Amino acid sequence: MTVSHTPTETENQVASRLAGQPIDFNSMAVVSNLFRAANAVRNHLERTVLAQHNLSWTAFVVLWVAWVWQESETRCVAEESGISKATLTGVLKTLEKLGFTTRRRSEKDGRLVIVGLTAEGNALMQRLIPEFNKHESELAAVIPTGQRDEMADHLRAVTTFALASDQ
Amino acid sequence: MTVSHTPTETENQVASRLAGQPIDFNSMAVVSNLFRAANAVRNHLERTVLAQHNLSWTAFVVLWVAWVWQESETRCVAEESGISKATLTGVLKTLEKLGFTTRRRSEKDGRLVIVGLTAEGNALMQRLIPEFNKHESELAAVIPTGQRDEMADHLRAVTTFALASDQ
DNA sequence: GAGAGATTGTTTGGATACGAACAAAAAGTA
DNA sequence: TACTTTTTGTTCGTATCCAAACAATCTCTC
């Protein structure tokens, strides 16, 4: 059993530790809950859906991006997966070893590498996407129907702002 | 310059690739944007605020939890930081080497280890928290004032559900 | 076309990140 | 008291993850 503090206990303790200081608790709650949620959902999906296929979260995201476009340059895959080029190199090494992705040099530009999906990769995604989506539905179900689009919009806006701040 | 697809382009491509299948696009948008946002915000804050102090995101979260409670058992710190016990051991090793945290055995229970903050750790957080909160305000500002609490509530609900699903 | 500059994927080094196995200590049981 | 069982933090092995350094390739300029 858990001995940890409840979220409410923690927030009260934070408020008391920061009493008197000009802190924007409202924004703090939004950001910290953003990470709590992302973390909890990620761990949940990794354990329930991904683990049985020997896939890490990032590996699945990369696989997802590759599936969406079928053929894509590594720089695009890295950016759309939200990871660095260096990380992608390692993840692709793993996915290639598992037999899900392929890599080949571009004929037009010798610097570029094109990422593709194998037949096994496509078959895996065909099974994985509906299963994954079922869990997404369960998770989003805790948000009132009419507010899900709004939620997605706000998250998109936050993403855009954060990315723009990095130039 | 970016050659990548825009988020809208990607979502259109996904819709076309999944045409005909019974997919809950609404929930998919919520979940995928949750991760995009968390990822973008994390990278942004790591680069703008944390990097100059040699702190990783996780190290900051652990430091934050330790600061909130001043003295806390490792199992609590791990759970509230959203990381495993094994990961915490490594992060605490780093933070201890940087001189920000301390570790000592509990007298009452020889299995437990109590995490504490050094004077340097407290001083660092005293400077870091307001700076961090300023960025949180900027990020949350893209969400209409009246909807921030709602947003935090929804994220809390998602977290609760995801954690509950893991028993 | 020759050299400077920019772009791309990989390698390197160090810090996360997890599950599983482990040793130490506490709690439960007889 | 002896034993089993449970709990806790660490270690181990493996897979991410990033910035910085790097080599290969392309582009630009003259």
Side-chain angles (χ1 to χ4, degrees):
Chain A
M1 292 307 123
T2 305
V3 201
S4 243
H5 312 87
T6 66
T8 311
E9 272 182 326
T10 302
E11 288 189 19
N12 287 339
Q13 175 75 6
V14 168
S16 119
R17 293 273 295 136
L18 289 170
Q21 288 189 256
I23 296 290
D24 180 354
F25 288 100
N26 227 297
S27 301
M28 179 182 284
V30 171
V31 173
S32 66
N33 279 296
L34 171 66
F35 287 102
R36 258 191 272 278
N39 224 323
V41 170
R42 176 184 162 143
N43 287 337
H44 171 58
L45 292 175
E46 269 183 340
R47 281 195 273 261
T48 55
V49 185
L50 267 30
Q52 55 190 306
H53 298 286
N54 279 316
L55 288 177
S56 70
W57 177 264
T58 305
F60 174 72
V61 173
V62 168
L63 214 50
W64 168 261
V65 173
W67 177 84
V68 169
W69 300 105
Q70 290 293 311
E71 293 243 298
S72 200
E73 301 167 8
T74 34
R75 52 181 177 171
C76 298
V77 177
E79 190 176 340
E80 293 179 34
S81 302
I83 58 176
S84 69
K85 303 179 301 172
T87 301
L88 182 60
T89 299
V91 174
L92 282 180
K93 213 174 285 181
T94 302
L95 284 174
E96 222 167 347
K97 199 166 56 186
L98 290 170
F100 295 139
T101 58
T102 56
R103 259 190 295 198
R104 64 175 177 80
R105 280 275 161 204
S106 166
E107 299 90 7
K108 294 176 181 173
D109 190 332
R111 295 168 300 180
L112 302 180
V113 170
I114 312 294
V115 179
L117 239 66
T118 63
E120 287 82 11
N122 271 309
L124 175 67
M125 289 308 276
Q126 200 127 23
R127 277 187 303 138
L128 219 45
I129 288 172
E131 188 184 350
F132 206 83
N133 188 241
K134 205 175 298 171
H135 283 86
E136 288 175 328
S137 284
E138 283 176 15
L139 285 161
V142 304
I143 303 168
T145 318
Q147 297 176 39
R148 282 176 215 156
D149 284 338
E150 203 177 76
M151 179 92 165
D153 284 343
H154 292 156
L155 290 170
R156 238 187 304 265
V158 170
T159 307
T160 303
F161 180 81
L163 292 178
S165 301
D166 297 339
Q167 256 80 328
Chain B
M1 296 305 120
T2 305
V3 201
S4 243
H5 313 88
T6 65
T8 311
E9 271 182 326
T10 302
E11 289 190 18
N12 287 339
Q13 175 76 5
V14 169
S16 118
R17 294 272 294 138
L18 289 171
Q21 289 189 256
I23 295 290
D24 180 355
F25 289 101
N26 226 299
S27 300
M28 179 182 284
V30 170
V31 174
S32 66
N33 279 297
L34 171 65
F35 288 103
R36 258 191 271 278
N39 222 324
V41 170
R42 176 184 163 143
N43 287 338
H44 171 58
L45 292 176
E46 270 182 339
R47 281 196 273 263
T48 55
V49 184
L50 267 30
Q52 55 190 308
H53 299 284
N54 280 317
L55 288 177
S56 70
W57 177 264
T58 304
F60 175 72
V61 173
V62 168
L63 214 49
W64 167 262
V65 172
W67 177 84
V68 169
W69 299 106
Q70 290 295 309
E71 293 243 301
S72 200
E73 302 166 8
T74 35
R75 52 181 176 170
C76 299
V77 177
E79 190 176 340
E80 292 178 35
S81 302
I83 58 177
S84 68
K85 303 179 301 172
T87 301
L88 181 60
T89 298
V91 173
L92 281 180
K93 213 174 284 181
T94 302
L95 285 174
E96 222 168 345
K97 199 167 57 187
L98 291 170
F100 295 140
T101 58
T102 56
R103 257 190 296 198
R104 63 175 177 80
R105 281 273 161 205
S106 166
E107 300 89 8
K108 294 176 183 173
D109 190 331
R111 295 170 299 182
L112 301 180
V113 170
I114 311 294
V115 180
L117 239 67
T118 63
E120 287 82 11
N122 271 309
L124 175 67
M125 289 308 277
Q126 200 127 25
R127 276 187 302 140
L128 220 45
I129 288 172
E131 189 184 350
F132 207 83
N133 187 242
K134 206 176 296 172
H135 283 87
E136 289 175 327
S137 283
E138 283 176 15
L139 286 162
V142 304
I143 303 168
T145 318
Q147 298 177 36
R148 282 176 216 156
D149 283 338
E150 204 176 75
M151 179 89 165
D153 284 342
H154 292 336
L155 290 170
R156 238 188 303 265
V158 170
T159 306
T160 303
F161 180 81
L163 292 178
S165 301
D166 296 340
Q167 258 78 325

